[in-house]
Amino acid sequence: MSQLERGEQKRAGLNEDNVNEKTDSNVEIELAHGLSTLPNSIDETTRTTISALSEAESNPFFIPNLTFTPSEESKVIRILDTRLFPWVLLTTFVLNMDRTNLSNAISDNLPKDLGFTTNTVNLGTAIYSVLFSLACLGGAVVCKIVHPARWIPFSMFCWGLVTMSHALIRDKGGYLTVRCMIAVTEGGVIPATLIYLGSFYRSTELATRLAWFWGVQTIASAVSGLMASGLLQLQGVSGLEGWKWLFLVDGIITVVVAVLTWFYLPRNATLTKGGIRGWKPWFDERQVRIAVTRIVRDDPSKRLYEQRVHWEDVKDAATDLGLWGHLFITAVGLTPTNPLGVYLPSVIKTFDFSIFVANALTAPPYILQCCTTVLFIWHSDRIGERGFHGAFGATWQLVGWILLRCLPSDTSKGVKYFAALLVACWPYTHPLNIAWMSENTGSIGKRTLASGCVIFAANIYGVWGSQIYQAKDAPDYHTGNTINIVFAGTAVCLWFVQKGYYKYRNARNARVWVQLGEDVQKREEMLQEKEGNRSVLFRFTT
């Protein structure tokens, strides 16, 4: 491993500012038909030298002319899928187990025990959504400084302690305080995980793995419901309510997993030995080069994957209409999931099931959702299409809400449960939307910000989503379900709009490229990485 160690030392000693200065001193930005160009005085030899020097300095394990067989690449992917990805799934399993336990606790009369109504629960959910969303933005930036492999377990340890502190709650003030604390500690881990996975997997491999990432979250919700059906029966043991036992056990599990995660997650493909990963590296020297080179070939900007966010990235992200489209799809399309996620056990309980049966019955919808999500995103990856698949998932949710809204009050509890199951097991479109956004972003800095922004959007909707189900509308929530229908229907339209926008961008880029002269085309090829998705050579996935 001596060559790998020397390469890592070289990488650690690299002064990133010097690299940028070396490149920028030879590049002047001009505008011609809205395109950046290089000065004509730079000949092809100089350009090649600069490019090769930058590639070598930015990542010594990237070999531009490296050749490898599909079987060799498949072996690298298989190692990642068996050694790295399962642990990442474990971290998100624990996260969603902790996020779901509130709904189980509410079904066990948490509001009544603490002396408030569901309106206070809604207020806590709204506050949680705001703070969680802000923590997502901050976490995406901070994790680039301390590295995701350190930020993820640190965040887990903190929210594990806060989860256990639910057992100390005595009143409304304590409840709201703890919900604020857990929002801040949980918020940064999902964008950090997205950034982390992007350093190991190509864009065409990411969507399916994100489907498993969020699919496992639904399994965690199912397990949480099954755990709750047992732990809630500890009511009165040691003078604690059943829901306090639920938070205590979940918190202990989280703290233990966090400590193990600290010693397991590798920083990158070159540093995979040590800790509880074992004394032998996951990859040999050739496999390390394959692991790094295939990622950089998929996205040249990943040569400097650990670079930090700059102000130019902020401006680029803020003016990207495509990114805004993904954020709207997220905030609008996921809004109906808020009341469903918080109150699903309680809604099932109103169908005349006992509290323990109601919590157990939340498991089948979540397990089915994992299956539908993975299958439909796998199919999206297979045929390389995003927009129609997203619209399909949104339509499924829309149909489920219409059915739940139209059922009369005297409908049998079996039919009501089927309607709730149908809407709860819809193919979850969020991982597909994130993968679509990621592959159409075009640069590391902007992708880092986009990861934080999309998770922000995936939680800020709780501010208004938490107010959809009101106490006065219980138990059938006709008004609330009507609102859910409006949001789900709007989401269907947004998926079609986003697909149309990207098709328009591709057609426009193709027209502009044909009109360019040969010299300008060569300059555009040189600046393709720098311009990201604003380059006429960029082709958007639709």
Side-chain angles (χ1 to χ4, degrees), residues 70-352:
S71 62
E72 287 181 304
E73 184 179 18
S74 296
K75 187 173 182 179
V76 170
I77 298 173
R78 186 163 57 251
I79 292 173
L80 291 173
D81 285 342
T82 56
R83 304 290 293 273
L84 175 73
F85 193 57
W87 201 279
V88 172
L89 293 182
L90 175 62
T91 64
T92 193
F93 180 92
V94 172
L95 170 64
N96 214 58
M97 186 176 65
D98 288 346
R99 296 180 71 185
T100 307
N101 54 24
L102 177 62
S103 64
N104 305 121
I106 292 172
S107 71
D108 191 39
N109 298 318
L110 176 149
K112 182 179 178 180
D113 291 340
L114 297 178
F116 51 76
T117 67
T118 55
N119 291 334
T120 298
V121 175
N122 291 342
L123 174 62
T125 302
I127 295 174
Y128 173 92
S129 299
V130 173
L131 295 179
F132 189 99
S133 302
L134 294 175
C136 287
L137 292 176
V141 177
V142 172
C143 80
K144 297 294 288 187
I145 300 175
V146 302
H147 199 279
R150 288 291 173 259
W151 183 249
I152 292 171
F154 174 76
S155 299
M156 291 179 64
F157 186 83
C158 291
W159 92 60
L161 296 179
V162 177
T163 298
M164 288 189 287
S165 71
H166 280 76
L168 303 176
I169 298 175
R170 294 290 182 269
D171 52 26
K172 175 180 177 180
Y175 172 79
L176 293 176
T177 299
V178 170
R179 296 312 296 173
C180 291
M181 293 172 60
I182 201 165
V184 172
T185 53
E186 287 182 345
V189 71
I190 294 182
T193 304
L194 299 180
I195 294 168
Y196 185 63
L197 288 175
S199 65
F200 293 97
Y201 291 102
R202 294 189 296 144
S203 59
T204 54
E205 302 161 353
L206 198 57
T208 299
R209 282 150 186 89
L210 290 183
W212 279 107
F213 181 80
W214 265 276
V216 164
Q217 289 190 15
T218 64
I219 296 296
S221 299
V223 172
S224 181
L226 295 174
M227 288 177 58
S229 67
L231 291 173
L232 294 179
Q233 299 184 51
L234 295 176
Q235 172 76 25
V237 176
S238 299
L240 297 177
E241 294 85 349
W243 57 266
K244 287 188 177 182
W245 278 109
L246 178 62
F247 282 116
L248 275 174
V249 172
D250 283 351
I252 292 171
I253 293 174
T254 302
V255 168
V256 172
V257 173
V259 173
L260 295 176
T261 300
W262 180 275
F263 294 102
Y264 189 83
L265 291 184
R267 289 180 64 91
N268 51 55
T270 69
L271 299 172
T272 55
K273 73 174 182 178
I276 60 175
R277 294 183 297 271
W279 298 110
K280 184 178 179 180
W282 295 352
F283 306 104
D284 59 32
E285 291 189 13
R286 176 168 174 78
Q287 289 174 331
V288 169
R289 296 188 180 97
I290 293 173
V292 173
T293 300
R294 74 187 201 93
I295 294 299
V296 176
R297 286 178 180 173
D298 177 62
D299 184 350
S301 65
K302 290 182 181 178
R303 284 187 293 126
L304 288 170
Y305 197 83
E306 296 185 9
Q307 70 180 356
R308 299 179 181 180
V309 176
H310 302 288
W311 179 243
E312 291 75 13
D313 300 315
V314 177
K315 292 187 292 184
D316 190 15
T319 56
D320 191 329
L321 292 179
L323 174 57
W324 281 103
H326 289 293
L327 300 184
F328 280 120
I329 288 175
T330 301
V332 173
L334 298 186
T335 291
T337 66
N338 185 275
L340 184 69
V342 174
Y343 292 109
L344 181 59
S346 300
V347 169
I348 295 176
K349 183 181 174 183
T350 65
F351 302 162
D352 293 328

